[in-house]
């Protein structure tokens, strides 16, 4: 079975426990493209839970959503703490290249970890600065040469602009689906590769069923938009 | 004795151990204005070390330098994990107000925790986006109404602009002193309230002596610039 273009956001135990979240990742490891583990999970559950998730996910990507936004040395130091457990980390573009993403980009290459950069965010306030600077942000992204970028499912026009600016080789991950308002499939129709979905899956009584239903919605949306 | 206008950056154990860093905070608790504890410390040393620091610092401010840069709900969730141990948290202005800093600002008021916003950063790349958007950043800061902001000791002109924009009531914390190049006192001369200093103190064989020498340099600089 082909994994659905879903990345499950694991933001820390609200319902359930750390073990419960590791179990969700274990159970869905073959159904989805990967998992995005946030700072609340890392602080609350500790690196040992991240290591447990790593050892139980066979195929899925494990992404540390650190939302890194510091000077280069500190970002590298934070990544060094999780580098043995994850395939990719997320950093912000707005910290710029020199003395920041240049160092991260270089170190991640050495460690064979994928870099994912935030190009825009899913909430309304992202229009205030991120979207108004999209051209400069794209310049920073091109210099740092990441594996993927984050662009909001809640604003498909931004996804299209990012796709046009970066071409087909960069993966686009789109958050904001479900609780935040975007419908499954909309971001992919606009040019994203994967949709990031959290609470609709992790807080469902049956996460596997939730994934199946969302995957179905994605396929239906794709059939409509690619007609 | 009056505490020196120094905030010690505690970025995680490079030399020494977590206990060693808690000891530094304990020993310097009356000598400096406060401590800025970074994500590496929180991940490596855990919340128990933060709690230990809290219980041993009598007068100094304890600031969680989370460099928050996410949607509001996630930022609030991260702060909820440290709220019992710290006096203040640092968040980025670049994420904007709506759906981000509005929620954080409201929740911190409820929890009686000070908000500190990044207005600009100490590295070169901060010119690429942060500084070019200083006017919009100041608008976001004014809406979020923080206790303090971060502005770079490495670029005193930015500190002066931020001071002019925000007036005398907002505290300005300036990183970049020491290893990153700015001299003690320069940022305060430009309008900052406190200088953030990390490795020159934490990696010194005698942190207390290092603080004394830096405080002396600050005083000398102040005598020169206020002449």
């Amino acid at each position: 079975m082909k994994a659905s273009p879903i990345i499950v956001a694991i933001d820390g135990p609200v319902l359930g426990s750390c073990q419960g979240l590791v179990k969700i990742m274990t159970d869905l490891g073959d159904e989805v493209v990967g998992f995005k583990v946030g700072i609340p999970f890392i602080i609350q559950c500790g690196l040992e839970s991240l290591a447990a998730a790593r050892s139980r996910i066979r195929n899925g990507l494990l992404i540390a959503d650190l939302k890194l936004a510091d000077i280069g040395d500190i970002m590298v130091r934070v990544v060094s703490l999780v580098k043995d457990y994850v395939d990719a980390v997320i950093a912000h573009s707005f910290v710029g290249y020199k003395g920041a993403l240049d160092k991260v980009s270089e170190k991640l290459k050495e460690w064979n970890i994928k870099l994912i950069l935030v190009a825009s965010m899913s909430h309304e306030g992202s229009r205030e600065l991120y979207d108004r600077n999209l051209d400069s942000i794209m310049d920073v992204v091109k210099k740092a040469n990441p594996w993927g970028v984050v662009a909001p499912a809640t604003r498909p026009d931004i996804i299209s602009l990012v796709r046009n600016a970066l071409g087909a080789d960069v993966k686009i991950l789109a958050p904001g689906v479900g609780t935040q308002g975007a419908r499954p499939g909309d971001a992919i129709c606009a040019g994203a590769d994967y949709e990031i979905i959290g609470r609709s899956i992790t807080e469902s009584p049956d996460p596997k069923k939730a994934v199946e239903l969302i995957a179905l919605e994605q396929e239906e949306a794709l059939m409509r938009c690619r007609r």
Side-chain angles (χ1 to χ4, degrees), chain A:
Chain A
M1 204 194 82
K2 200 172 160 293
S4 301
I6 294 170
I7 291 172
V8 184
I10 305 283
D11 277 320
V14 173
L15 304 176
S17 61
C18 294
Q19 288 92 328
L21 290 175
V22 173
K23 186 177 184 316
I24 288 179
M25 289 190 261
T26 310
D27 292 348
L28 300 180
D30 294 327
E31 324 280 324
V32 298
V33 161
F35 305 91
K36 179 185 82 77
V37 170
I39 296 174
F41 179 88
I42 294 172
I43 295 181
Q44 274 183 282
C45 302
L47 294 176
E48 59 279 14
S49 294
L50 198 60
R54 166 75 302 166
S55 69
R56 287 174 207 168
I57 298 168
R58 279 170 302 176
N59 297 310
L61 275 179
L62 189 52
I63 301 166
D65 184 12
L66 300 164
K67 294 279 191 319
L68 293 169
D70 215 316
I71 59 171
D73 290 344
I74 301 292
M75 292 196 283
V76 166
R77 204 188 286 189
V78 175
V79 177
S80 77
L81 301 175
V82 301
K83 74 178 173 55
D84 295 338
Y85 315 119
V86 300
D87 303 296
V89 299
I90 299 181
H92 271 289
S93 305
F94 70 73
V95 294
Y97 188 68
K98 271 196 183 170
L101 294 174
D102 52 357
K103 297 190 182 186
V104 174
S105 168
E106 195 191 316
K107 209 69 189 171
L108 291 190
K109 224 170 279 168
E110 191 186 315
W111 289 336
N112 199 22
I113 293 176
K114 294 173 170 67
L115 175 62
I116 299 170
L117 289 176
V118 176
S120 175
M121 299 173 69
S122 57
H123 65 294
E124 188 61 25
S126 182
R127 295 177 195 267
E128 297 168 28
L129 280 143
Y130 247 120
D131 290 3
R132 284 172 48 199
N133 286 277
L134 194 62
D135 289 346
S136 310
I137 292 285
M138 288 299 105
D139 290 342
V140 171
V141 169
K142 284 173 194 166
K143 280 185 205 160
N145 191 25
W147 173 80
V149 296
V150 173
T154 43
R155 297 197 300 292
D157 53 319
I158 297 286
I159 293 180
S160 304
L161 289 170
V162 169
R163 176 58 77 205
N164 286 338
L166 300 180
D169 290 343
V170 176
K171 302 289 181 194
I172 298 180
L173 291 68
V177 181
T179 315
Q180 286 182 67
R183 288 169 314 174
D186 285 356
I188 296 179
C189 284
D193 295 280
Y194 312 124
E195 295 184 328
I196 299 172
I197 303 171
R199 289 165 276 186
S200 323
I201 294 171
T202 56
E203 295 180 10
S204 157
D206 186 345
K208 214 160 182 166
K209 189 82 199 160
V211 166
E212 278 170 28
L213 292 173
I214 290 165
L216 208 64
E217 278 191 78
Q218 285 179 324
E219 282 165 28
E220 286 169 2
L222 277 175
M223 276 167 58
R224 281 196 304 277
C225 72
R226 293 195 178 154
R227 219 172 14 202

